[in-house]
Amino acid sequence: MPTPAIVRTIVPSIVGFVLAFLASHGIHVSPDYQEYLVAGLTVALGGVYYVAVSALQTRWPFAGVLLGSTARPIYEGRHRKAITGPATATSDTPEDQP
């Protein structure tokens, strides 16, 4: 089963393509530029759709279904330092190394 991050990336892309396809039929441009118009509209409309639905999901969690999954992706760093004591600011620059 795909992860929520993958689903939440693919669904807005599909929605953006459908919206761009519909919008491009009302816009008359040279056939040479029609592909660029659809591609640009797909990216723009898909991005706007994702941001709008993500904003709705903060208020109404079920709105996430419009992105294909109500589960929000969880990202974990691969090389995080384990905190063993109180949290303090540290630096990993070479001059701070012993």
Side-chain angles (χ1 to χ4, degrees):
M1 174 151 217
T3 66
I6 292 171
V7 171
R8 291 169 63 102
T9 299
I10 293 171
V11 169
S13 298
I14 293 169
V15 169
F17 175 76
V18 170
L19 292 175
F21 177 78
L22 294 173
S24 70
H25 277 38
I27 302 171
H28 299 288
V29 296
S30 166
D32 297 336
Y33 296 104
Q34 189 73 22
E35 293 176 16
Y36 298 115
L37 175 66
V38 172
L41 286 173
T42 298
V43 170
L45 294 173
V48 168
Y49 178 82
Y50 182 83
V51 169
V53 174
S54 291
L56 287 174
Q57 190 179 14
T58 60
R59 184 169 173 104
W60 299 291
F62 191 73
V65 82
L66 296 173
L67 292 174
S69 172
T70 57
R72 288 185 176 256
I74 298 171
Y75 302 100
E76 295 181 18
R78 288 184 170 199
H79 305 289
R80 291 192 178 205
K81 289 183 177 181
I83 298 176
T84 55
T88 57
T90 61
S91 174
D92 289 336
T93 59
E95 54 274 352
D96 292 340
Q97 299 294 323

